[in-house]
Amino acid sequence: MASRKKVLLKVIILGDSGVGKTSLMNQYVAKKFSNQYKATIGADFLTKEVMVDDRLVTMQIWDTAGQERFQSLGVAFYRGADGCVLVFDVTMPNTFRSLDSWRDEFLIQASPRDPENFPFVVIGNKIDLENRAVSARRAQGWCHSKGDIPYFETSAKEAINVEQAFQAVAKNAMAQESDVELCSDFPDPIKLKDDQAKPRENCAC
Amino acid sequence: MASQNEVLFAKDSVYIHINVQDTKDKDAHIAGRVYLMKKPEGNFIEWKAEECLSHDIQNDEWDVIGSVGFRNDRDSECVSMNAKMDARRKYNISFDVLDLKSFKRNAPNHSWAYIIFILKDGTTFPALHFHNGGSKALLKELETFIHIRRSPNDQRLFIVHDHDPEMLSKSFNELSIFSDSSSAYVQKFVSEPHKGFPKKFMKDPYTATMGGFSKVTNFLRDNFMAPENLTRPQSEMAEFLHEDIPGMEISNLDEPGFEMVTKTKLPPRPVVKRSEHLELAKWNSFFDSDGTISQVEEVKEIIFRGGVDPAIRSEVWKFLLGFYDWDSTTKKRQEQRKRKVDDYFRMKLQWKTISSEQERRFTLLKERRGLIDKDVMRTDRTHKFFSGDKNPNLQVLYDILMTYCMYNFDLGYVQGMSDILAPILVVMENEVDAFWCFAGAMERVCHNFEMDQNGMKVQLSQIHKLMQVYDPELCAYLESHDSGNFYFCFRWILIMFKREFHFHEIQRLWEVIWTDLPCQNFHLIISLAILDSEKSTLMENKFGFTEILKHINDISLSIPLDDTLCKAEGIFLQLKEFKKLPKAVKEVLGLLPVPVSQSMENSVFIGSASNTDVKSQDSASRVDTPQLMGGISSSSSISVNGSRSSHSLGGKQNSIIDEGSKILT
């Protein structure tokens, strides 16, 4: 058995109301789809254990309400996120146009260490529906302009590509994590060191 | 795969009860089998519904491995066998025993024993009822893998002690700190460049080494002091919560090292009892010759204590929700009703007659229509009143919500409103009545939905204030675990516990709350009562921010309503009798006289309708229900049912509502 020391990855799912955030989460974690999910109120999360590059990782996937006014409280959950999944509905162009503000808001509120390289994934959901209104090309264009965010087209209903999208965010988050893992565990000593180093140099004079 | 699994224990006739009240409903109890199973990846406790057993075994679907998730979505009605099986499968339980944090076992004398399992991340499964015994035997088996200790405070609660010697030694090895060579630690990381460590070590050996030691400290702390495996580092959660929720008042424990627990000496909690509901004969006896209700307070008292017989709900709710005035005569009520019918259809016409051409230039309305469209499709669809494709009641739900947008355009449609409407529509079974009763119910909670969320913030901080007095120990615990903002009560408050109770229970709860007895903030005390019942679970499991939230989310639909109401009333009486009650708390409990100056105008919301550019049109070309025509009135006055001015939250709240009226998204 692999090492029992677990790594926890916190992943936030964001996007407009009704794009399928809860459905994606449930499809990924429990392999279930229901037409009868209720609009999410407040916040909830599910956890799933996955193997990423031979490491046992616990993904804690957060689902929040999509309506704008609930964000003022929802942002409390952004901080400490290791990855973020931005979701839009390929049949609703306005949900695609919202991605910009979801991404910006997330970066402002979560203030990750390295916003440029923060592990985002974009999901265009509901490709099982026939009335698509946002082309893959357009979505990819946007993702490219934001620093090559990986783009996945999914159907939570038909379980298409869902696994891959979340696996990608887990993998990218782990890649980031291993870079910062050691300093993130104990940021204080690093700061202390900086402070101490200077006077010592001064003393040498 | 199935062949690799070894069944260590199995027991049939283990049920999940999804509908506590209606015992005639054959779907109320789901039969299943509980297992303790040895799998390659660990030892698992599983429960599967009987309907899924044979099917899933054939399909080798045993491994829903690792998904310790569970979501509340329990009531269900299904048409086909397949759908039924899907619906059953969603109850299936599977988790690694090492993820178990605690459980509650109740073995009453005259009833079945049940067990509720609670995982380390706060996930709380529905109770498993052992109709044919076996709960003790299962726990006995379980004890071979984990150490269990009974809570000293709650007889039913058992805590799992993290004790895994294998894990301990492995982790020590991993750290390499106690290996022969003192440089092993360094070497290990140098030899593993992918860890990104050596760069740091070369640049900064001091920090890296100290970091290594601090890792040991962390490790020791984690393993011997606080067995919280999956909590986020404190630094990530601690302060930001209150930064991010501006306007929340949180008293922080600045020095977590100090015990600030002071016991409030509240008077003992009096025993209170629930009574029979209000029945037709009794209800009729309150009307005098001209149809006026003689003893309003007594009627409310009966409703508070026992609710209303479902048979007369639609009538009684009209009084509770301001559709009729309590002091009205039969004649006046007939007039009131006629006017409301006219007003409703006039407002309905307003949006019904907006052409698609117009709507193209009316983004706000279009957006709201989109939101309502989506939410109507996912509101209580498991209830038979709304189930099935093309159910005509969905259209009624939609029409009422759209019309409410016209009635209160400043607020518009916000998620959660459909949750409030659904039980009312089910009771009223009439579009106009449901609309006005919904509008009345919204008067009480509209501040929850405003753009700035101030109504919510105020109430969450009021719960905090109440808790500080009622139970300083629990309050201090929550504060020191990043939960002093009581955000985990958000869903409770936003939609008045709608998602926390079964449909028939929520109707009972709401009519109790709508009496405004014993105070207008009784819903906040109900929150205290529920938290009081969960106190041992939260504290003895040492739950942190995420686990608390998860646990509170997961106890939905398993909170005993009558017990909770009794406890809440008891708590109110305790607080009321408490001599040193702070003024702020008295205010919340309505124990201070409300200043007269605050006349909460309903007109704020009425006025809005005329501010919009929407004009009532005489042409009714797009109206598809002919009977609406008779109802169109040229009158522009909207009679507002709110005889009750909602100063429910004390003085502070009023200013918020006034401010809120300015918001136009």
Side-chain angles (χ1 to χ4, degrees):
Chain A
M1 196 189 277
S3 133
R4 286 233 28 114
K5 184 172 170 4
K6 289 178 183 175
V7 177
L8 178 67
L9 287 184
K10 179 173 175 179
V11 174
I12 318 283
I13 310 180
L14 298 176
D16 282 0
S17 169
V19 295
K21 297 182 290 295
T22 306
S23 296
L24 284 163
M25 176 177 77
N26 277 285
Q27 180 57 260
Y28 178 59
V29 174
K31 299 187 168 51
K32 293 181 227 176
F33 177 81
S34 161
N35 277 320
Q36 295 167 347
Y37 290 127
K38 297 172 178 180
T40 304
I41 289 178
D44 198 5
F45 67 89
L46 291 181
T47 50
K48 181 182 172 87
E49 288 188 356
V50 288
M51 294 299 288
V52 180
D53 300 334
D54 295 335
R55 282 197 82 169
L56 185 62
V57 173
T58 301
M59 279 175 84
Q60 187 183 77
I61 302 168
W62 284 81
D63 177 28
T64 56
Q67 200 168 354
E68 190 194 346
R69 72 187 65 198
F70 292 127
Q71 290 310 306
S72 66
L73 287 156
V75 292
F77 302 99
Y78 293 5
R79 191 73 67 94
D82 301 295
C84 178
V85 177
L86 300 171
V87 186
F88 72 96
D89 174 349
V90 295
T91 70
M92 308 279 274
N94 57 321
T95 66
F96 173 68
R97 287 192 293 269
S98 301
L99 289 186
D100 264 314
S101 59
W102 282 113
R103 179 177 171 277
D104 294 349
E105 182 71 4
F106 175 82
L107 287 175
I108 292 166
Q109 298 295 346
S111 52
R113 281 185 198 85
D114 184 7
E116 302 281 291
N117 297 308
F118 187 83
F120 282 102
V121 158
V122 169
I123 287 182
N125 191 33
K126 305 197 189 182
I127 55 164
D128 54 286
L129 296 181
E130 294 187 348
N131 49 334
R132 176 194 271 267
V134 180
S135 69
R137 222 183 118 114
R138 194 171 151 206
Q140 265 155 355
W142 186 85
C143 290
H144 183 70
S145 74
K146 301 292 172 187
D148 275 326
I149 300 176
Y151 175 61
F152 293 86
E153 300 214 320
T154 67
S155 161
K157 188 177 178 184
E158 313 281 347
I160 299 169
N161 243 352
V162 177
E163 190 80 31
Q164 288 85 336
F166 280 94
Q167 192 70 28
V169 79
K171 207 176 153 79
N172 293 348
M174 280 301 285
Q176 289 265 313
E177 195 74 352
S178 59
D179 285 350
V180 291
E181 192 177 336
L182 286 158
C183 49
S184 76
D185 272 358
F186 23 81
D188 291 342
I190 292 172
K191 280 185 193 148
L192 262 177
K193 203 270 161 186
D194 285 348
D195 293 343
Q196 284 174 355
K198 277 171 195 163
R200 202 176 296 167
E201 278 163 25
N202 289 344
C203 286
C205 301
Chain B
M1 274 241 210
S3 57
Q4 297 179 0
N5 298 332
E6 183 191 338
V7 176
L8 304 173
F9 176 87
K11 182 76 195 170
D12 277 320
S13 302
V14 178
Y15 288 75
I16 288 181
H17 297 181
I18 53 173
N19 191 340
V20 197
Q21 199 194 43
D22 191 358
T23 42
K24 276 172 274 173
D25 179 3
K26 64 178 174 11
D27 286 338
H29 294 175
I30 307 177
R33 190 186 294 168
V34 74
Y35 294 90
L36 183 60
M37 178 126 27
K38 192 181 169 77
K39 292 183 174 190
E41 61 275 12
N43 299 304
F44 279 68
I45 288 182
E46 308 210 329
W47 180 90
K48 273 177 184 264
E50 240 164 40
E51 274 108 337
C52 309
L53 276 170
S54 51
H55 178 266
D56 284 355
I57 290 173
Q58 279 163 19
N59 286 278
D60 212 9
E61 272 187 22
W62 267 111
D63 33 10
V64 197
I65 323 163
S67 70
V68 292
F70 177 82
R71 215 172 153 81
N72 280 310
D73 201 5
R74 293 175 200 173
D75 305 287
S76 71
E77 287 177 32
C78 303
V79 198
S80 72
M81 248 330 268
N82 245 346
K84 181 158 187 162
M85 207 147 64
D86 281 344
R88 288 295 183 247
R89 197 173 287 131
K90 77 182 175 191
Y91 293 99
N92 284 354
I93 293 173
S94 171
F95 61 88
D96 189 329
V97 297
L98 292 179
D99 288 325
L100 189 65
K101 179 84 188 182
S102 72
F103 57 87
K104 283 183 181 167
R105 176 172 180 272
N106 203 6
N109 286 333
H110 305 291
S111 188
W112 304 304
Y114 67 80
I115 303 180
I116 297 170
F117 289 109
I118 302 167
L119 303 188
K120 284 174 183 164
D121 71 353
T123 300
T124 305
F125 293 106
L128 294 177
H129 296 259
F130 291 72
H131 289 201
N132 222 345
S135 65
K136 226 176 188 163
L138 171 65
L139 296 181
K140 217 165 184 156
E141 283 296 326
L142 202 53
E143 270 199 299
T144 55
F145 303 104
I146 48 178
H147 293 255
I148 300 165
R149 177 178 61 85
R150 187 176 230 153
S151 156
N153 302 314
D154 185 343
Q155 282 293 297
R156 298 167 307 164
L157 181 66
F158 296 80
I159 313 287
V160 177
H161 257 269
D162 257 341
H163 178 71
D164 184 358
E166 190 191 352
M167 171 180 156
L168 224 76
S169 58
K170 268 196 178 160
S171 306
F172 271 113
N173 290 340
E174 238 178 34
L175 282 168
S176 301
I177 219 91
F178 297 127
S179 60
D180 295 337
S181 157
S182 58
S183 62
Y185 176 62
V186 176
Q187 278 170 3
K188 178 178 164 66
F189 286 99
V190 174
S191 64
E192 291 174 45
H194 63 276
K195 296 253 182 188
F197 185 83
K199 234 183 354 195
K200 187 152 283 123
F201 183 78
M202 298 308 176
K203 268 180 18 200
D204 188 3
Y206 172 77
T207 307
T209 313
M210 288 315 282
F213 287 129
S214 90
K215 191 151 196 163
V216 178
T217 317
N218 287 342
F219 171 81
L220 292 174
R221 193 196 58 211
D222 291 347
N223 283 283
F224 295 109
M225 299 182 58
E228 296 163 73
N229 266 6
L230 293 177
T231 45
R232 308 290 306 179
Q234 285 282 338
S235 57
E236 284 179 10
M237 303 300 282
E239 296 128 278
F240 72 87
L241 280 169
H242 104 270
E243 280 167 26
D244 284 344
I245 305 179
M248 289 271 323
E249 292 172 41
I250 297 164
S251 71
N252 276 314
L253 280 182
D254 293 328
E255 308 278 295
F258 287 89
E259 289 276 306
M260 294 250 303
V261 180
T262 47
K263 284 252 184 257
T264 316
K265 275 241 163 63
L266 287 181
R269 188 184 308 155
V271 179
V272 289
K273 286 206 169 101
R274 308 280 305 150
S275 321
E276 291 303 307
H277 58 213
L278 177 65
E279 278 180 328
L280 179 63
K282 184 78 186 165
W283 170 245
N284 283 338
S285 75
F286 284 107
F287 290 90
D288 61 19
S289 55
D290 65 353
T292 313
I293 294 176
S294 44
Q295 288 150 300
V296 176
E297 291 317 308
E298 196 185 327
V299 176
K300 285 186 182 170
E301 176 75 21
I302 296 173
I303 298 171
F304 172 71
R305 219 145 271 299
V308 178
D309 182 349
I312 56 168
R313 247 182 203 144
S314 67
E315 266 322 286
V316 180
W317 279 22
K318 290 192 183 92
F319 288 88
L320 288 170
L321 293 171
F323 186 99
Y324 296 137
D325 296 334
W326 282 102
D327 58 359
S328 58
T329 60
T330 310
K331 188 161 171 290
K332 192 174 168 216
R333 286 197 291 274
Q334 281 164 354
E335 289 163 15
Q336 277 181 326
R337 178 150 207 289
K338 189 180 174 309
R339 201 164 61 235
K340 284 182 192 302
V341 172
D342 290 352
D343 281 338
Y344 176 74
F345 287 117
R346 187 177 48 73
M347 289 185 289
K348 183 171 176 178
L349 265 184
Q350 290 173 347
W351 62 268
K352 276 262 184 193
T353 52
I354 288 174
S355 65
S356 48
E357 188 69 6
Q358 260 179 304
E359 193 171 286
R360 270 204 301 127
R361 302 179 189 85
F362 198 171
T363 319
L364 197 51
L365 188 75
K366 194 177 159 189
E367 276 173 8
R368 287 174 182 181
R369 189 194 285 279
L371 275 175
I372 291 172
D373 249 333
K374 275 176 183 158
D375 282 0
V376 161
M377 299 310 289
R378 49 183 179 166
T379 302
D380 291 311
R381 297 300 300 282
T382 52
H383 190 282
K384 56 180 179 293
F385 194 85
F386 299 111
S387 67
D389 294 339
K390 300 196 176 126
N391 184 325
N393 291 328
L394 298 181
Q395 184 65 42
V396 183
L397 203 60
Y398 175 87
D399 286 359
I400 294 176
L401 291 170
M402 283 300 290
T403 307
Y404 187 78
C405 276
M406 288 297 155
Y407 172 67
N408 190 350
F409 202 84
D410 285 349
L411 191 59
Y413 176 77
V414 185
Q415 290 192 318
M417 288 187 184
S418 66
D419 275 284
I420 292 179
L421 172 57
I424 295 174
L425 180 55
V426 168
V427 166
M428 293 298 155
E429 293 181 307
N430 170 296
E431 184 173 342
V432 177
D433 294 353
F435 171 81
W436 287 108
C437 286
F438 169 62
M442 280 304 299
E443 279 305 305
R444 297 171 159 273
V445 293
C446 57
H447 44 263
N448 292 1
F449 293 97
E450 279 152 15
M451 196 55 172
D452 60 7
Q453 291 286 289
N454 241 327
M456 288 304 299
K457 289 170 193 167
V458 167
Q459 289 172 89
L460 295 178
S461 78
Q462 285 174 331
I463 296 178
H464 182 246
K465 284 195 188 97
L466 289 168
M467 188 62 91
Q468 268 175 330
V469 175
Y470 172 67
D471 189 343
E473 188 190 17
L474 178 55
C475 196
Y477 179 85
L478 293 171
E479 284 166 1
S480 60
H481 289 76
D482 314 313
S483 300
N485 54 27
F486 287 79
Y487 183 85
F488 53 88
C489 300
F490 184 85
R491 190 174 70 193
W492 294 1
I493 302 302
L494 186 82
I495 49 174
M496 278 286 170
F497 303 99
K498 165 64 169 29
R499 303 266 177 102
E500 318 312 318
F501 292 96
H502 292 279
F503 213 82
H504 62 270
E505 290 173 323
I506 206 65
Q507 293 170 336
R508 170 62 37 87
L509 174 65
W510 284 0
E511 60 204 12
V512 168
I513 289 176
W514 292 335
T515 63
D516 287 331
L517 293 172
C519 71
Q520 291 187 334
N521 277 326
F522 193 54
H523 64 292
L524 303 180
I525 314 199
I526 292 172
S527 305
L528 287 195
I530 303 173
L531 292 174
D532 184 76
S533 303
E534 297 306 318
K535 179 181 176 181
S536 297
T537 304
L538 300 180
M539 289 181 61
E540 293 182 38
N541 284 317
K542 299 192 172 70
F543 279 165
F545 174 75
T546 53
E547 296 84 4
I548 292 171
L549 182 97
K550 186 72 185 165
H551 178 71
I552 295 299
N553 280 347
D554 282 0
I555 58 170
S556 131
L557 303 186
S558 65
I559 305 169
L561 179 59
D562 276 347
D563 294 353
T564 304
L565 287 173
C566 284
K567 187 183 259 190
E569 189 188 352
I571 292 174
F572 175 82
L573 295 171
Q574 273 181 291
L575 290 170
K576 193 181 166 192
E577 290 306 310
F578 183 48
K579 298 245 161 22
K580 293 180 216 153
L581 207 58
K583 190 162 171 263
V585 173
K586 279 189 183 165
E587 216 171 86
V588 176
L589 297 178
L591 298 174
L592 289 178
V594 181
V596 194
S597 65
Q598 281 143 2
S599 58
M600 204 347 260
E601 301 113 67
N602 289 313
S603 57
V604 161
F605 298 99
I606 311 161
S608 61
S610 56
N611 289 340
T612 70
D613 296 332
V614 186
K615 287 201 179 117
S616 153
Q617 301 195 354
D618 288 337
S619 106
S621 55
R622 291 190 60 220
V623 179
D624 39 27
T625 35
Q627 70 267 31
L628 298 193
M629 292 302 297
I632 299 168
S633 147
S634 58
S635 150
S636 61
S637 74
I638 301 171
S639 82
V640 169
N641 43 335
S643 63
R644 172 193 183 277
S645 49
S646 40
H647 36 62
S648 59
L649 295 169
K652 206 165 177 182
Q653 191 59 37
N654 286 304
S655 59
I656 286 155
I657 294 170
D658 290 338
E659 254 171 54
S661 65
K662 289 178 211 143
I663 296 163
L664 210 140
T665 41

